[in-house]
Amino acid sequence: MLADDTGAVLGVTRSAGHRRWIWRDPRLAEADNRLALALAQQAGIPELLARILSARGVAPHDASSFLNPRLRDAMPDPSCLQDMDQAAERLAQAVRNREHVGLFGDYDVDGACGTALVCDTLRELGCTVSTHIPDRLTEGYGPNTAALENLLSEGATLLVCIDCGTAAIDILNGLTDRADIIVLDHHKPDGAALPKGIVVNPNRLDCTSGLGSICATAVAFLTMVATIRHLRRSNWFDEGQVIPDLLKRLDLTALATICDVMPLTSLNRALVMQGLRVMSRGERLGLATLSSVAGVKEEASAMACGFALGPRINAGGRIAQADLGLKLLLSDDVVEARALAEQLDRVNRQRQTVESTILDSAMEQAQQQLDAGHAVIFLHGETWHPGVVGIVAGRLKERYNRPALVAALTDGVIKGSARSVPGLDLGTAIIAARQNGLLLSGGGHAMAAGFSLSADRADEFHSWLDTQLSGALALPKQDALKLDGIMTLAGASIAVADQLARLEPFGPGNEEPVLAISNVRCVKSERIGKDGNTLRVILQGEDGGTRLRGLVFRAADKPFAALLEDRSMPLVHVAGTLRAETWQERKNLSFFISDAAPA
């Protein structure tokens, strides 16, 4: 039975993980899906892969470009971005005049990658470049006058803000008489007003590019493309100057796109695919060294970027020296790169410790708020480190399927980060709260935002959020598990896993396929890992023959783990992702379990 009368796949209306199993797309339930069969025949791919692509809206004639995206096909004309031509012209002028350029980047992965990309390119073109990444605790988010004036004192005649600056109207306007200013950003503006100077931001209200889902590093990449094009058209390279190879800098664009949780479709998919190929060559010393220190054994992948490299680069900006990540990305010295990578690895372990001290208390308080009828989780604490509140907010969002805001309270000011769930635009709500005088500062995009407010307005702000995002009350405690297919244990093979891997890179907009394997038993289970928080099981079919290794990460947080560890070995359905991983030149098949239900 594929689904019961209620539409639940395999009849699972409430799994051991408290989730309902549904099809990611209703079209997957149609046994005679002729569109998928046509796609399989025309593209020469297995039926399972064709069904998944069909359900994701990929037409037969688009299958090849989806599976093998080419940047040349997806690349837009940079001039489609409002004010791009002006930005390229001013940057080209800086190159021709060998100007000193000051770069001010945000303290996250996107800011570090975008700053590194622009810095690399302008230095190769002959400019002198100074950089600044602000300290999260002492300077906060966005441009500040002291840091910008310091760049000017070093000789900068052009200031470029990367992954920030759209909302810094007063600060930037106060410096326009001393230097030209360019903003390369993607955050939603607070209304139509923008800083004086040149603002390239696909999310500004008058930009018709349709590129609102790209990160700031992608904006920076397109800006460098436009700048080099401008220099080429003016015959500047005819004088013997070397044209920078921007394609080799796509590793930075891929890393930033993944870590800033941008949808991996269209242009982003092409940028990431090409960028991961560049990253796999190991030409950027800093990333290659960090991969080694982090124990990344496979080729460059979205998973390695999101779970190994990104958190370490972010760690410096969270609880240590903010520019460690940028320094690593720009390093061309083996000894320096190793030292920076090891320092970031240590800082990341410290970040994990700090995070764990907050998480348990936050979970308890979040449950109390939901029990009290709040639509949105809003927590703050005096002892909470502001560098990890965004991570805690993300964990709460995943656990309770509700928008979550977590903050630190210092000197009467609550300052923190927010994460949302699909369908609820948190950034718009935060901006509206700021416009209505509830917040001292605030901004972001649909899924993530930052904010600050006076402590005496906390209750009022929470009520505002409950009203603005009241749709969260209709959400289940945990979101439904969306499945892409059902397979037998015997059907789980390395060949199938390799076919599914053709859909990579996975992320928002192109989630990794979740498959259900029905009617299996866990004939062996054991806790492994340093903290014993990974559950390894052996799945066996009813025939007693075929076996498959299964893994559950963070098992202590997974209520379905108890079902898999039941010594009576009941018959169960399991859902998760099938992957073939290479270790010491040998491929191993594993099923990463995300839920389980009694059969």
Side-chain angles (χ1 to χ4, degrees):
M1 179 174 61
L2 295 182
D4 64 9
D5 292 339
T6 68
V9 178
L10 293 172
V12 180
T13 57
R14 182 178 171 82
S15 70
H18 314 306
R19 306 176 80 177
R20 177 187 180 86
W21 291 9
I22 62 173
W23 292 114
R24 188 180 302 279
D25 188 290
R27 288 172 290 187
L28 285 164
E30 300 174 12
D32 61 341
N33 191 330
R34 287 171 291 181
L35 187 61
L37 293 175
L39 195 155
Q41 293 172 357
Q42 292 183 29
I45 58 178
E47 186 178 334
L48 174 62
L49 193 61
R51 288 183 180 276
I52 293 171
L53 285 172
S54 178
R56 296 184 182 194
V58 178
H61 62 273
D62 293 327
S64 177
S65 61
F66 182 89
L67 294 172
N68 302 287
R70 298 189 305 174
L71 186 57
R72 70 177 67 178
D73 297 330
M75 186 73 175
D77 181 346
S79 295
C80 72
L81 286 156
Q82 188 72 27
D83 282 1
M84 176 60 85
D85 290 338
Q86 295 95 309
E89 181 179 357
R90 181 61 186 89
L91 285 162
Q93 177 186 330
V95 170
R96 286 191 293 266
N97 296 335
R98 296 289 196 272
E99 290 184 54
H100 187 146
V101 182
L103 305 182
F104 186 103
D106 189 20
Y107 42 61
D108 67 357
V109 175
D110 193 15
C113 287
T115 303
L117 190 152
V118 175
C119 181
D120 251 354
T121 307
L122 292 181
R123 283 177 177 170
E124 188 172 350
L125 287 168
C127 289
T128 299
V129 182
S130 297
T131 63
H132 182 82
I133 303 293
D135 183 277
R136 182 188 296 259
L137 298 183
T138 60
E139 297 177 77
Y141 169 78
N144 64 83
T145 301
L148 294 174
E149 286 187 339
N150 187 59
L151 290 172
L152 293 176
S153 69
E154 292 177 5
T157 54
L158 172 63
L159 298 175
V160 182
C161 298
I162 301 169
D163 196 28
C164 59
T166 299
I169 297 174
D170 293 340
I171 290 173
L172 296 183
N173 287 354
L175 295 171
T176 52
D177 60 337
R178 299 174 59 189
D180 291 333
I181 294 173
I182 296 174
V183 172
L184 306 179
D185 199 3
H186 72 135
H187 292 96
K188 288 185 176 181
D190 186 359
L194 296 170
K196 296 176 183 177
I198 302 170
V199 178
V200 182
N201 182 336
N203 285 305
R204 54 184 285 183
L205 298 183
D206 59 347
C207 185
T208 60
S209 66
L211 297 176
S213 61
I214 65 173
C215 67
T217 302
V219 175
F221 173 76
L222 293 174
T223 304
M224 293 298 97
V225 170
T227 300
I228 289 175
R229 182 177 65 182
H230 194 93
L231 289 167
R232 193 193 299 269
R233 288 174 176 173
S234 65
N235 301 318
W236 189 77
F237 292 110
D238 293 348
E239 302 173 13
Q241 288 83 357
V242 176
I243 302 175
D245 183 358
L246 290 180
L247 292 181
K248 75 177 185 180
R249 295 180 170 94
L250 283 175
D251 55 346
L252 297 170
T253 309
L255 179 61
T257 299
I258 292 165
C259 293
D260 225 41
V261 202
M262 297 292 102
L264 298 186
T265 57
S266 305
L267 174 60
N268 282 340
R269 180 171 173 81
L271 289 170
V272 170
M273 285 282 280
Q274 181 62 38
L276 291 176
R277 293 190 188 104
V278 173
M279 198 181 298
S280 292
R281 299 201 295 261
E283 295 175 358
R284 186 171 300 277
L285 178 62
L287 285 182
T289 306
L290 186 61
S291 294
S292 174
V293 169
V296 176
K297 299 178 178 63
E298 73 272 14
E299 288 189 0
S301 66
M303 182 171 293
C305 289
F307 292 95
L309 304 181
R312 286 167 171 80
I313 292 174
N314 256 337
R318 291 190 182 280
I319 62 172
Q321 187 178 332
D323 62 353
L324 288 177
L326 175 61
K327 286 181 176 178
L328 178 71
L329 295 175
L330 292 173
S331 178
D332 57 5
D333 180 88
V334 174
V335 175
E336 178 193 48
R338 187 75 187 185
L340 288 168
E342 290 178 347
Q343 185 176 359
L344 284 170
D345 188 58
R346 289 193 300 272
V347 172
N348 189 55
R349 289 197 296 272
Q350 295 170 12
R351 185 271 304 169
Q352 292 171 328
T353 300
V354 172
E355 175 192 337
S356 65
T357 61
I358 298 174
L359 191 57
D360 289 344
S361 174
M363 288 286 188
E364 182 179 347
Q365 292 182 49
Q367 186 61 62
Q368 292 172 355
Q369 289 191 356
L370 296 180
D371 291 343
H374 286 285
V376 176
I377 298 168
F378 173 40
L379 307 173
H380 55 275
E382 287 189 86
T383 61
W384 292 1
H385 195 294
V388 302
V389 292
I391 300 175
V392 175
R395 291 287 187 87
L396 294 177
K397 182 262 296 187
E398 292 173 4
R399 178 70 172 269
Y400 297 108
N401 194 35
R402 294 287 183 87
L405 296 85
V406 182
L409 171 60
T410 305
D411 298 329
V413 175
I414 296 171
K415 187 175 183 180
S417 296
R419 301 291 184 270
S420 193
V421 296
L424 293 176
D425 190 337
L426 186 60
T428 297
I430 293 290
I431 290 172
R434 180 186 174 190
Q435 292 172 337
N436 280 271
L438 286 172
L439 299 179
L440 299 173
S441 64
H445 48 78
M447 300 298 288
F451 63 93
S452 67
L453 70 153
S454 297
D456 57 7
R457 306 204 71 174
D459 291 341
E460 186 181 359
F461 178 50
H462 201 173
S463 296
W464 164 273
L465 291 169
D466 285 338
T467 300
Q468 295 295 310
L469 301 172
S470 60
L473 290 171
L475 297 173
K477 181 177 179 181
Q478 280 199 302
D479 60 332
L481 182 64
K482 298 176 181 178
L483 299 177
D484 295 272
I486 299 175
M487 68 191 316
T488 63
L489 194 63
S493 66
I494 288 177
V496 171
D498 285 342
Q499 287 293 336
L500 294 172
R502 294 180 64 188
L503 297 170
E504 294 181 347
F506 298 126
N510 185 45
E511 288 77 9
E512 185 172 8
V514 178
L515 305 174
I517 302 178
S518 60
N519 300 311
V520 296
R521 299 183 192 277
C522 292
V523 296
K524 182 180 179 181
S525 64
E526 59 179 336
R527 296 292 183 115
I528 60 174
K530 292 181 180 179
D531 54 3
N533 202 19
T534 297
L535 175 63
R536 180 167 61 193
V537 302
I538 301 298
L539 304 173
Q540 182 174 287
E542 290 184 277
D543 60 5
T546 307
R547 291 190 169 196
L548 176 65
R549 183 179 73 158
L551 291 169
V552 180
F553 293 125
R554 300 212 319 250
D557 298 333
K558 308 295 172 57
F560 64 84
L563 178 63
L564 301 179
E565 294 179 295
D566 188 336
R567 296 297 183 183
S568 69
M569 293 184 291
L571 203 63
V572 299
H573 305 317
V574 292
T577 54
L578 186 69
R579 300 176 194 154
E581 300 177 304
T582 301
W583 170 243
Q584 295 183 339
E585 300 183 355
R586 179 180 176 181
K587 273 193 173 183
N588 298 289
L589 188 67
S590 298
F591 192 67
F592 293 81
I593 303 172
S594 51
D595 201 4

